[in-house]
Structure formats: structure tokens, C-alpha cells
Amino acid sequence: MDRIIYLDHAATTYTKPEVLKEMLPYFTEIYGNPSSVHSYGRETRKALDLARERTAKALNADPAEIIFTSGGTEADNLAIIGTATANKKKGNHIITSSIEHPAALHSCQYLEKNGFQVTYLPVDEYGLIDPQDVKEAIKENTILISIMTANNEIGTIQPVREIGAIAKEKGVLFHTDAVQAVGSIPNDVRDMNIDLLTLSAHKSHGPKGVGALYARKGVRLNHISHGGAQERNRRAGTENLPAIVGLGKAIELATQDIEARNEKLRALRDRLISGILSSVEYTRLNGHPTKRLAGNSNFSFEFIEGEALLLSLDMKGIAASSGSACTSGTLDPSHVLLAIGLPHEIAHGSLRLTLGDENTEEEIDYVLEVLPQIVQRLREMSPLFNQDKGGKIYV
Amino acid sequence: MDRIIYLDHAATTYTKPEVLKEMLPYFTEIYGNPSSVHSYGRETRKALDLARERTAKALNADPAEIIFTSGGTEADNLAIIGTATANKKKGNHIITSSIEHPAALHSCQYLEKNGFQVTYLPVDEYGLIDPQDVKEAIKENTILISIMTANNEIGTIQPVREIGAIAKEKGVLFHTDAVQAVGSIPNDVRDMNIDLLTLSAHKSHGPKGVGALYARKGVRLNHISHGGAQERNRRAGTENLPAIVGLGKAIELATQDIEARNEKLRALRDRLISGILSSVEYTRLNGHPTKRLAGNSNFSFEFIEGEALLLSLDMKGIAASSGSACTSGTLDPSHVLLAIGLPHEIAHGSLRLTLGDENTEEEIDYVLEVLPQIVQRLREMSPLFNQDKGGKIYV
Amino acid sequence: MYSEKVMDHFMNPRNVGEIKDADGIGEVGNARCGDIMKVYIKVENDIITDVKFKTFGCGAAIATSSISTELIKGKSIDEALKITNKSVAEALDGLPPVKMHCSMLAEDCIKAAIEDYRKKHLKTEVNTSAKESVE
Amino acid sequence: MYSEKVMDHFMNPRNVGEIKDADGIGEVGNARCGDIMKVYIKVENDIITDVKFKTFGCGAAIATSSISTELIKGKSIDEALKITNKSVAEALDGLPPVKMHCSMLAEDCIKAAIEDYRKKHLKTEVNTSAKESVE
Ligand SMILES: Cc1ncc(COP(=O)(O)O)c(C=O)c1O
Ligand SMILES: Cc1ncc(COP(=O)(O)O)c(C=O)c1O
């Protein structure tokens, strides 16, 4: 294989040529500072406005409700820390889940160190949150519920609409990290009673280093970056114009034809899932069988470790990722895999294959050809694996 | 004039074609996540390392001392808030100046609300800080001195080396915001005893939305963004690779041939300054006559308001900026102009013309031709101006 | 940022100047805040027959000064008093939100000039009667 | 990320397997942390004549297992004991900082196998004398 088969779309995606094309003039020709009075500045302000309109439209929001940030991480930080500190007179309790992205989880942990209380809701074996749990966790002093729309590792899609309805009924703010969901499932913030929503361009064929927070009009929000009065004083720093233009275009494209794209992705994904489950024993699919992102698959292969698997796949031209600790240099494997109940040793042997538009059936078939051999080779090296005893010698 | 004469380089600059060229592959071809194990990720990690080396080299720093951020604002926030909170056991007093960029000033004000004490040192009529003042302001509990290398409005260059020596002698951390200085004056962090230094790519012909903080090895620094463990756990969020590549290249270019570039800029700037001062009465140059950035000029024209001036210049194809409040929609004019002792009404009538490589003598001469007429026209409309009485009827 | 109409009134302001023997003069704003507007009116039979202004301020301040003088010229005092910052902004095809205070300036200044006219007018009458009684 | 040498030892690990009648067996690490290494040695006249390993772990763990077995094969026990995590990493042309703990695994495991050998060896002697005294 000369070409690389890229199956790591949940990590990041390439910037689409038509997106890049819209960005290019803003590097070298229309480069003014949008805050400037002169015509160079005004041109860029127009582009900023257009990107804001496109982003708002994709979410059924109002342009004034869109705040551009440096990415999903900053948007999550702003949503959680910004609302918590702005609403602390109303209460100091936050509800989130145990499978959020670190950008949300660590924001909550930061708040815990600063006088807030956080409830981390458990999930079931598929990674699903029970809306009833959310409802029961709400207390007098609850000010914010932050639950991701879809999980970045196992792809499980949460009952966002139900949670939104509960939040509204109880008068609690509801934030959702939709970084993985945008372009994969429709996100209508009005219809779903979402008060704050995080997105990031580079997960949907936009550029890296730019994201957005939708914050419903009237939501009290403190800025978390200190400096100029950009973004109506909600986010300081010279606007990253080319990237913002790219985000606008990418989100516009990503939220078109979702169903057609998903159909294709789902077919490929299901081919991959059933192929792997039927050809590799001691393997499980992580995440929900149907309530999952169309492009996401996530497996655990017993007796082997994820990074070794990734390296082996890479040697065969397949780019993937893992929830193994050894990919990050820490010792604990993915908090998401632990939260759905996997024992550490099985969580370590996980593999995430996330598909995108450009993947083909041939590529999937190639993966199905090489993956079983790779798993077999690693198992043969593993002291945990004993063919004779049916493999199950670990505890 | 069909072409626009761009004299707003301190606000932002275009991305140089050779910088953009290096960035392009990282949008569409080499787009992996640097944290990924596979070869796509490894390629991007290499590019990240190269950008880090280039940036470090430009400052005489070590690559491990460079933290990439989303811009100068975030780097200032990280430097000031990150060191203050990490060192608060040692003390809670910070020294800064009254003419810092809002990114630094507002970070200090945020800290003041959170239990820190801040001394805002005054400046003289040229915008200079007296190192003796810094020395005398240091108390038992002083943990940080943050003084910008060069001012973004009036271009005054501070005695950074002297301040660095004092900081070192007293064992206090020294941060400098060098956003405007990089590429204009050499910044050797070892030689000048700088512990932390902020830079931003878009001020030096690099892309917007990316900056860097140099933080000397051993400096205690809390991260201020919460999420992934990128940048050795000092800055969370997927690395903005194309922009970081662009920053590395831009900083490399900007720190080459500084003297040759400055010579040209200085000649143009001095032509502009002497031309304006000799042809427009009731006008003053703001900032230091010689200790100023080679490309910076800043004037106050009595009896008129800055935004009206900018609009008029814009109609003549000249892009400039002002320290007037009316460009920002607030009421108070630039805190920098007030700090150097200008009365409000004069500060309102200020104009900043900042030059770059591509400006020519012809452009300067054109400005010298149209500016006096514009000022005259606005003065004739102004109730403050009375030709007969020598103009001085305001109080 | 600005509408074409604003730019037109900024670049070609109508009624700039002073009226030496004005019947009413209004001055509002202050140099500290970056805008001062001064309006001079001539009034005959309750009709504003002439109006001039001088303004220190931003583009929007100059444009609103210009349009507001146009709006009241030839109008009766009562009609002129109906001017509001909204009508001024509308006449300019809108103003950016951060500039709405400039249209306030125009409204206030026109009203100040009329008040001054009325005061003087009244004063003249009072003075006249005072004079009469003294003589 | 990894040197060519690491990748070579990862893709073509030397001495993979088990020795049924090993003289010493070492096992370190645990599945919780994501790496377990098991080393089997045959010893004759104080010389390690054969060595095999099985490893559950990342690329670096497998490569360090492989190289460390190569490093001790044919060596005397004393020489083998001189192995350190540094020498293992150097033999692989270096390891990324976050992976240095993997080279610890190899060092510890080799030492554990030798200790096991010595214990058994000693035990055998003790047992022998015990047997003798019983008989
Ligand atoms: C669910 C989720 N939230 C937040 C982020 C952070 O986004 P970014 O990398 O743009 O900072 C990511 C991706 O890294 C993600 O998958
Ligand atoms: C001195 C100074 N510091 C900080 C900044 C902020 O940098 P950025 O726009 O990259 O956030 C600027 C420019 O806006 C500046 O001139």
C-alpha cells in the first residue's frame, strides 16, 4: 500500500480544498484587522459577519449568539467556566458525565478546586446517559448541565433533546459539546433547548485552531480570556480571520446532505464492524450498536495493547487511534472505556477506527485483511494469551 | 489612488507568500493530529518540532521553553495569570506599567479581583519606564514584573535589559510582551534575563491566531486552558499546525536582517514625521523621538477627532489607526496617550501610522500631500478651532 | 461599517459654519468624551430659516450633525422638536450600534439650540418689559 | 517518534516464546498499567545459554524486551546483571521520554529472571541437602 488509509477522522480531518480556497485571500490580500476603521478592516469585518451567519444558520441560532474561539477546547472552557463563574450567585453545582472530553472534564475539575460542586453522572455499558439520572441529580443550587452530544472515542450519541427538555423545565443552563456531532447529526439549538454548544472546525474538514461557542442570547457568561473587546467582549484577541472564514464554510458544507453522507458511512462502518467481529475472536465492539456516529467504530482486542496495534497498522499504511494509555504516555487507559465498565487490561487493547467521506469499500476490505493477522501476531507474543486454554488466562 | 497605502502594520500584517507556502501542505496533505501515533501524526510532530526550534532560535531560547498559543493575548494571559497562580505561595504582588496592552493589563486586573496586588508604574512624557521605579516598587511579596518591550501605540522601547538585571538581582520573575518588538529589535532572552516573553505571528507577516510564550526552564507556570496534555501540559487543545508552521517561518524571517530593514523603515518614518510636523500646526509627535520602533509614528492633531481623520484618510486610500475612543465605541481615548500626559481632547485627535517593508517613499509623499488638507478640513468644521485666535480656544 | 448616506454626509456635510447673529445656539457634548456639537439657528415666524453647525467628533457625529440640520431647516419649531435620535439615524439609513450615542448628540443639540432661542426670545420680551418699566 | 532500531525490534522481535524447562522465569508489570513482560532463561555454568520472552505492551515494551534478551544471551549471569534501563535504551538508539519506563520493565524483568534462577538454584542445593538429611 502506498497510500495511507486514514481512519482517524475523529482525531482530525484534512481541510477541504473548497474551504481552503475561501480562506486564502484572507492571508495575503484581505488581511486587515476587523477592528480597524479603514477599508481593509471593513472587508475583513464583512467576512467575519458572513462566517458568523453561516455558523448560526447551521445551528438554527442567531449570528449574535456565535463566539469564535481558538478551538473546541477553548469553547468548552468558556462555556463551563464562563457560565459557572457568571452564575455563581445562583448556585455552585454542575452536572456532567464521566465520559466527557478532557476539555470539559478538566474545566469541571478546575471549578471543583474553586468552590464548585460537580456531579459526574455514570453511563451504561454502551456509554449512554440516562436522562432520568440527570433529572434526579438536579438540586436547588444546580446552575449548569454539560453533556456531550456524541462521544469522541466510542461514538455514542446521547439523548440531548430529552436532557434539553429537563434542563428547560428545571431552569438550569444546558451546554453540549457537539465537536464530534456537528456534520454527523443535526443540531438545532432552538428545537433541542440547548443554551450553549461547542464546535470545532478541524473535525469537520475545516482548519485547525478555530472553534465556536453558541451561547443563547441572555445566557450570563464571563469571558475567560483577558484583553481586547473582540467578539462583543466575550473573547479577547485579534480575530483569526482566515480560520474563521474556513470554519464558516466547513460548517456550512458539513451540515448539508448529512443523511446521504451518513448512509454511505454507516454502510462502510457496518461492513468493518461485522467483518472484524466475525474474523477476530476475543473482540468486542465498544459503544452503542445503533446510537452511534455513522463514522465511528471502536473495538477491544483482548490480550494485546493498543499502541502496538497502532504501530503495526501504521506499518501497513493504516492510520488509526487507540484509547490505550501508552499512546499518551500515562498509565491509565481511556476514562471513557473504564466508564463503560471495561477492565483496565481490556481497555488497553482498544482500537478506534473513524471513517470519513473519502474512505472506500476497498480500504475497508484491506483493513479486514490485515487486521486479523496483526492481532494474531501480537497475541502470540503476549503472556496473557494462551491459545490452548481458549485464550482466557488473564484475570 | 487605486492601491491602498497600508500604514497599519502595528494592527496586523499580511502573511508573506513564503510563509503561506510552508503552511499550505499542513491543511490538505499533512493534516494528522501531532498527538497521533501513526505516520500522519508523526509527520506533523516533526513540523511542530521544527517550528519550535525556529522560534527558540530567534529568541536564543531552548525549544522546550516555547509554548504555542492562539495568539499574543493568550500568551500574555498565560504568562501573567499562569505564573501568578503558580507562585502565589511566594507572594501576591505584581509590578507592571500603565501602558501595557489590554491583554496584559486586563490579566492583571483579573488577578486583582482574585487576591493579588498590582502596581501600575507610571511612564514619562515619552512613554518610558524608569528602571529605578521598578526597583523601588519591588517588595518582599513581589513575584512578577511584566513590562512590554515596545509599546503598540506610540512605539516607545523600554529599557528591558536594565529591568531584566533588576529582576534577576531581586529574584523576581520578569515577563515582557514583545509582540511589537519581535522582528524590530533583537530579543535575546538569555542575555537580557527575560523569564517569559510573549510574541504573536500576525504582527510579523505570519498568520493570525497563533502566538507563543517563551517560559524559561524552571519557571513555575499553571496552565490556564483545561483539556488535553498538549504543549507538555501547558496549553490544551489540538495544535494549530499550519499556523504554528507559519509562525516558525515568519519569526525566522522577521529576525533576519533586522538592521537593514530598520534602516529603510527609519528613513521613511523620519521623512513622514518631519514632513507632518513641519506642514501641520498644532501637532505633536507621541512617543520617544529616538527610542521608538523603526516603523512607528504617532501624532496628535489638536481640535479634531481621530476616527474622522481615519475615515478621511481611508477615502484617500490610506489605511491607518487611531488611539481615539471613537474607533472602539468607548468614551475614553487610549490609556497610553493619557498615561503620557495628554489631555483627553488631544488624545482623541491621535493618528498612528505604522510602516512596513512594502511601503515606499512615494507613498509617504502622498500621505504628506493629503494629510494637511484633511486636517484642515476637519478643523474648519470643529467648534474648538478658531483660526483667528491662533486655534487655541479649547480648554 | 457606515452606510453610504453616512459617508456622504461625513465627506460633504451640509450647513457647516456659524451664524454670527443666530437667534439660538446649542452646544452639547464635551471634548473629554471626544464629541462636541454646536448648532446655530435663525428663526422667523416660528420657522427655522437657517441653521449651521460645527462639530468636533467622529464620522458619525459629523454625519448626524449634517443630516439633523437638513431635517430641521425650513421646519417650524414644533416640527423641529419632534426630531429624535432614532429619526436622525433612520435618515442616515442606520448607524452601527456603538455609534447610536452620536445621534443622541444631534437630537440634544438641536433641542438645546431651540431652548436657547426660546429663552432669548422670552428674555427679550421680559427685558423689553423690564426696560419699559425702568424707563 | 521511535528510532529505526526500535521499529525493527518491534516488527521483528528476537527470542519470542517460552522455554518449557526454564532455569529462571521473571515476570514484571501488570495488565492494569498496560504492560507485562515475562522472561525465561536457561543457564549453564553461569552462562545464559538461551532466553525467550513474551510481552503484553506497547511498541517500546516489545522492542526493549527483544533487545534486552539479545543483550544477555551468551553472557554470564554477572554480566547480564549489569544491564540497566539506560543501556537497553541506548542499544535501541534511544527511546522517547514518555517511554523510558518501558526500558525499566526490561531491566527489572531480566533481573527478576536471574533472581528466580538463583533462588531455585539455591533452593535446589538447600533441598538437596535437606533431602540428604532426611534420607
Ligand atoms: C468531543 C470533543 N470535545 C472537544 C475537543 C477539543 O477540540 P479542539 O481540538 O479543537 O480543541 C475534541 C477534539 O479534540 C473533541 O473530540
Ligand atoms: C503589544 C501587544 N500585545 C499583545 C497583543 C495581542 O496579540 P493577539 O492579537 O495576537 O492576541 C498585541 C496586538 O494586538 C500587541 O500589540
Side-chain angles (χ1 to χ4, degrees):
Chain A
M1 289 299 284
D2 258 6
R3 229 198 90 213
I4 289 181
I5 298 179
Y6 189 74
L7 294 176
D8 202 9
H9 289 85
T12 193
T13 60
Y14 69 91
T15 302
K16 282 207 172 150
E18 57 262 54
V19 171
L20 181 59
K21 201 175 146 217
E22 290 216 11
M23 295 168 63
L24 286 180
Y26 297 94
F27 285 107
T28 47
E29 290 158 44
I30 315 169
Y31 57 87
N33 192 318
S35 306
S36 296
V37 166
H38 49 70
S39 58
Y40 267 31
R42 288 199 304 274
E43 285 277 318
T44 53
R45 169 133 319 260
K46 266 189 231 162
L48 192 58
D49 290 345
L50 175 62
R52 209 183 295 283
E53 277 160 32
R54 283 174 164 170
T55 310
K57 198 169 160 221
L59 304 173
N60 191 21
D62 193 86
E65 297 175 323
I66 303 297
I67 306 165
F68 292 117
T69 68
S70 68
T73 298
E74 188 186 334
D76 275 347
N77 279 236
L78 176 57
I80 295 172
I81 299 172
T83 54
T85 57
N87 292 281
K88 71 174 172 220
K89 275 191 191 140
K90 287 175 68 183
N92 70 340
H93 179 240
I94 294 165
I95 297 168
T96 186
S97 86
S98 50
I99 62 163
E100 298 296 310
H101 188 272
L105 275 185
H106 294 174
S107 293
C108 288
Q109 285 158 7
Y110 165 81
L111 288 172
E112 279 186 296
K113 283 196 209 118
N114 286 276
F116 288 83
Q117 294 166 10
V118 181
T119 300
Y120 299 91
L121 294 178
V123 293
D124 71 10
E125 59 177 315
Y126 300 116
L128 273 176
I129 288 150
D130 185 344
Q132 196 54 36
D133 285 352
V134 176
K135 196 166 193 167
E136 283 165 16
I138 295 174
K139 303 191 283 187
E140 274 287 286
N141 60 340
T142 306
I143 49 176
L144 177 70
I145 297 165
S146 179
I147 303 281
M148 69 202 312
T149 304
N151 185 268
N152 46 309
E153 297 190 29
I154 56 175
T156 302
I157 298 169
Q158 302 301 339
V160 169
R161 181 186 305 275
E162 286 81 346
I163 299 170
I166 292 168
K168 189 177 181 189
E169 184 200 319
K170 299 281 189 173
V172 176
L173 290 177
F174 175 39
H175 165 247
T176 188
D177 175 342
V179 167
Q180 294 286 339
V182 166
S184 189
I185 53 178
N187 295 279
D188 183 322
V189 294
R190 296 272 172 266
D191 185 42
M192 297 166 105
N193 288 313
I194 296 168
D195 297 305
L196 302 117
L197 180 145
T198 294
L199 61 87
S200 177
H202 74 99
K203 308 283 186 183
S204 312
H205 296 288
K208 295 181 176 53
V210 64
L213 179 67
Y214 147 81
R216 187 175 51 70
K217 226 171 262 172
V219 165
R220 291 171 66 93
L221 188 71
N222 282 341
H223 56 84
I224 58 169
S225 56
H226 312 281
Q230 290 93 346
E231 296 296 289
R232 298 176 178 230
N233 215 4
R234 293 170 302 181
R235 199 271 174 178
T238 302
E239 297 87 345
N240 186 356
L241 207 81
I244 289 171
V245 166
L247 180 143
K249 184 65 183 172
I251 298 304
E252 183 181 81
L253 291 175
T255 47
Q256 280 166 5
D257 309 318
I258 287 187
E259 214 16 71
R261 217 174 325 122
N262 278 351
E263 222 167 279
K264 195 202 135 185
L265 285 177
R266 240 183 254 119
L268 286 181
R269 179 198 70 187
D270 291 344
R271 185 184 189 92
L272 184 66
I273 292 176
S274 61
I276 288 179
L277 293 181
S278 66
S279 65
V280 188
E281 44 175 12
Y282 311 120
T283 298
R284 57 166 278 160
L285 176 71
N286 298 314
H288 197 276
T290 56
K291 291 177 189 162
R292 73 185 308 140
L293 293 172
N296 174 287
S297 67
N298 188 309
F299 306 92
S300 289
F301 300 96
E302 295 184 29
F303 324 121
I304 63 174
E305 194 277 335
E307 194 229 48
L309 196 53
L310 291 189
L311 281 177
S312 307
L313 285 166
D314 187 49
M315 299 301 286
K316 296 281 184 189
I318 300 167
S321 75
S322 163
S324 167
C326 248
T327 61
S328 59
T330 60
L331 291 179
D332 276 330
S334 150
H335 66 289
V336 177
L337 298 177
L338 297 180
I340 60 171
L342 292 196
H344 275 70
E345 51 276 24
I346 295 187
H348 275 293
S350 77
L351 178 71
R352 180 182 72 176
L353 300 171
T354 45
L355 284 66
D357 294 6
E358 78 282 7
N359 291 131
T360 62
E361 240 176 55
E362 290 70 49
E363 291 181 338
I364 299 304
D365 290 345
Y366 174 74
V367 173
L368 291 176
E369 189 191 315
V370 303
L371 183 64
Q373 303 159 13
I374 289 173
V375 172
Q376 185 59 22
R377 190 183 86 90
L378 291 174
R379 283 185 177 165
E380 277 166 10
M381 274 194 251
S382 170
L384 301 180
F385 182 66
N386 188 326
Q387 204 94 41
D388 311 337
K389 297 191 189 153
K392 303 195 175 175
I393 65 159
Y394 69 89
V395 252
Chain B
M1 290 297 288
D2 257 7
R3 229 198 90 212
I4 289 181
I5 299 179
Y6 188 73
L7 295 176
D8 202 10
H9 289 85
T12 193
T13 60
Y14 67 91
T15 301
K16 282 208 171 149
E18 57 262 54
V19 171
L20 181 59
K21 201 177 147 213
E22 288 215 12
M23 295 168 63
L24 286 180
Y26 297 94
F27 286 106
T28 47
E29 292 158 42
I30 315 170
Y31 57 87
N33 193 319
S35 305
S36 297
V37 166
H38 49 71
S39 59
Y40 267 32
R42 288 200 304 275
E43 285 276 318
T44 53
R45 166 125 335 249
K46 266 189 232 163
L48 192 57
D49 290 346
L50 175 63
R52 208 183 295 283
E53 277 160 32
R54 282 173 165 172
T55 310
K57 197 166 160 225
L59 304 173
N60 191 22
D62 194 86
E65 297 175 324
I66 303 298
I67 306 164
F68 292 117
T69 68
S70 67
T73 298
E74 187 185 335
D76 274 347
N77 280 236
L78 176 56
I80 295 171
I81 299 171
T83 54
T85 57
N87 292 281
K88 71 173 171 221
K89 274 190 193 140
K90 286 175 68 182
N92 69 340
H93 179 240
I94 294 165
I95 297 168
T96 187
S97 86
S98 49
I99 62 163
E100 299 296 310
H101 188 272
L105 275 185
H106 294 173
S107 293
C108 289
Q109 286 158 7
Y110 167 80
L111 288 172
E112 279 185 296
K113 281 197 211 117
N114 286 276
F116 288 83
Q117 294 166 7
V118 181
T119 300
Y120 299 91
L121 294 178
V123 293
D124 71 11
E125 59 179 312
Y126 301 115
L128 273 176
I129 286 150
D130 185 345
Q132 196 54 36
D133 285 352
V134 177
K135 196 167 193 166
E136 283 164 16
I138 295 174
K139 303 191 282 187
E140 274 288 286
N141 60 340
T142 305
I143 49 175
L144 176 70
I145 297 165
S146 179
I147 303 281
M148 70 202 311
T149 304
N151 185 267
N152 46 308
E153 296 190 30
I154 56 174
T156 302
I157 298 169
Q158 301 300 339
V160 170
R161 181 188 305 277
E162 287 79 349
I163 299 169
I166 292 167
K168 191 180 180 185
E169 186 200 315
K170 299 281 189 175
V172 176
L173 290 176
F174 176 38
H175 165 247
T176 189
D177 175 341
V179 167
Q180 293 287 338
V182 167
S184 189
I185 53 178
N187 295 279
D188 183 323
V189 293
R190 295 272 172 264
D191 185 40
M192 295 165 106
N193 288 311
I194 296 167
D195 296 306
L196 302 118
L197 180 145
T198 294
L199 61 86
S200 177
H202 74 98
K203 307 283 186 182
S204 313
H205 296 288
K208 294 181 178 51
V210 65
L213 179 66
Y214 147 80
R216 186 174 52 70
K217 226 171 258 171
V219 166
R220 291 171 66 91
L221 188 73
N222 283 342
H223 56 84
I224 57 170
S225 55
H226 311 281
Q230 291 92 346
E231 297 295 290
R232 299 176 176 230
N233 214 3
R234 294 170 301 180
R235 201 270 175 179
T238 302
E239 297 87 345
N240 185 356
L241 208 79
I244 288 171
V245 166
L247 180 143
K249 184 66 183 171
I251 298 303
E252 183 180 81
L253 291 175
T255 49
Q256 280 165 6
D257 309 318
I258 286 188
E259 215 13 74
R261 217 174 326 122
N262 278 352
E263 221 166 279
K264 195 202 135 186
L265 286 177
R266 242 182 253 120
L268 285 181
R269 179 198 71 188
D270 291 345
R271 186 185 188 92
L272 184 65
I273 291 177
S274 60
I276 289 179
L277 293 182
S278 66
S279 64
V280 188
E281 44 177 10
Y282 312 120
T283 298
R284 55 166 280 160
L285 176 71
N286 297 314
H288 197 276
T290 55
K291 291 177 188 163
R292 75 186 306 140
L293 293 171
N296 173 286
S297 68
N298 189 308
F299 306 91
S300 289
F301 300 96
E302 296 184 27
F303 323 122
I304 63 175
E305 195 276 336
E307 194 229 47
L309 196 52
L310 292 187
L311 281 177
S312 306
L313 285 166
D314 187 49
M315 299 300 287
K316 295 281 184 187
I318 299 167
S321 75
S322 164
S324 167
C326 247
T327 61
S328 59
T330 60
L331 290 181
D332 276 330
S334 149
H335 65 290
V336 176
L337 299 178
L338 297 180
I340 61 171
L342 292 195
H344 276 68
E345 51 276 25
I346 296 189
H348 275 294
S350 77
L351 177 70
R352 180 181 72 175
L353 300 171
T354 46
L355 284 65
D357 295 7
E358 78 281 7
N359 291 130
T360 63
E361 238 174 58
E362 289 69 50
E363 291 181 340
I364 300 303
D365 290 345
Y366 174 74
V367 174
L368 291 176
E369 189 190 317
V370 303
L371 183 64
Q373 302 159 13
I374 289 173
V375 172
Q376 184 60 23
R377 191 182 86 90
L378 292 173
R379 283 184 177 166
E380 277 165 9
M381 271 195 253
S382 170
L384 301 179
F385 182 65
N386 187 325
Q387 204 96 41
D388 313 335
K389 297 189 189 156
K392 302 194 174 176
I393 66 158
Y394 69 90
V395 243
Chain C
M1 177 167 84
Y2 288 133
S3 69
E4 273 176 43
K5 199 116 177 225
V6 171
M7 287 309 293
D8 176 36
H9 276 269
F10 168 64
M11 291 305 286
N12 312 295
R14 330 306 194 233
N15 307 313
V16 176
E18 296 172 19
I19 300 176
K20 292 285 166 208
D21 57 345
D23 294 317
I25 300 179
E27 178 166 348
V28 299
N30 70 65
R32 253 190 90 87
C33 295
D35 43 23
I36 296 180
M37 181 175 172
K38 203 163 173 181
V39 165
Y40 306 79
I41 50 172
K42 281 299 283 180
V43 184
E44 269 170 52
N45 295 329
D46 225 44
I47 300 290
I48 297 172
T49 53
D50 198 10
V51 50
K52 297 267 185 231
F53 82 91
K54 281 210 166 182
T55 290
F56 161 80
C58 66
I62 290 170
T64 52
S65 301
S66 168
I67 193 102
S68 61
T69 57
E70 271 206 330
L71 287 175
I72 63 164
K73 199 166 171 176
K75 298 277 160 65
S76 70
I77 291 287
D78 281 350
E79 267 180 292
L81 280 173
K82 286 192 191 136
I83 199 168
T84 65
N85 70 316
K86 256 187 87 180
S87 63
V88 170
E90 270 165 23
L92 288 169
D93 297 342
L95 279 175
V98 294
K99 296 291 185 179
M100 283 306 288
H101 69 277
C102 297
S103 55
M104 294 290 290
L105 192 75
E107 176 189 336
D108 290 353
C109 196
I110 300 290
K111 289 183 174 163
I114 293 173
E115 190 158 324
D116 180 56
Y117 157 74
R118 284 189 164 163
K119 227 186 289 167
K120 278 183 187 154
H121 190 70
L122 202 64
K123 231 198 228 154
T124 315
E125 282 172 8
V126 173
N127 281 352
T128 313
S129 49
K131 258 186 206 161
E132 277 172 355
S133 65
V134 169
E135 273 173 11
Chain D
M1 178 166 85
Y2 288 134
S3 69
E4 273 176 42
K5 200 117 178 224
V6 171
M7 287 309 294
D8 175 37
H9 276 270
F10 168 64
M11 291 305 287
N12 311 296
R14 333 301 196 236
N15 306 313
V16 176
E18 296 173 19
I19 299 176
K20 294 281 166 210
D21 57 346
D23 295 317
I25 300 179
E27 179 166 348
V28 297
N30 69 65
R32 251 189 92 87
C33 295
D35 42 24
I36 297 180
M37 181 176 173
K38 202 163 175 182
V39 165
Y40 306 79
I41 51 174
K42 281 298 282 181
V43 183
E44 268 169 50
N45 297 328
D46 226 42
I47 301 290
I48 298 170
T49 55
D50 199 10
V51 49
K52 296 266 185 235
F53 82 91
K54 281 210 165 181
T55 292
F56 161 80
C58 65
I62 290 170
T64 52
S65 303
S66 168
I67 192 102
S68 61
T69 58
E70 270 206 331
L71 286 175
I72 63 165
K73 197 166 173 177
K75 297 278 160 64
S76 70
I77 291 286
D78 282 349
E79 267 180 295
L81 279 173
K82 286 190 192 136
I83 200 168
T84 65
N85 70 318
K86 255 187 88 179
S87 64
V88 169
E90 270 165 21
L92 287 169
D93 297 341
L95 279 175
V98 293
K99 295 293 185 178
M100 284 306 289
H101 69 277
C102 297
S103 54
M104 294 290 290
L105 193 76
E107 176 189 333
D108 291 352
C109 196
I110 298 290
K111 288 183 175 161
I114 293 174
E115 191 159 323
D116 182 54
Y117 158 73
R118 283 189 164 160
K119 227 187 287 165
K120 280 185 187 152
H121 190 70
L122 203 66
K123 232 200 225 153
T124 315
E125 280 171 10
V126 173
N127 281 356
T128 313
S129 50
K131 259 186 204 159
E132 275 170 0
S133 67
V134 167
E135 271 172 13

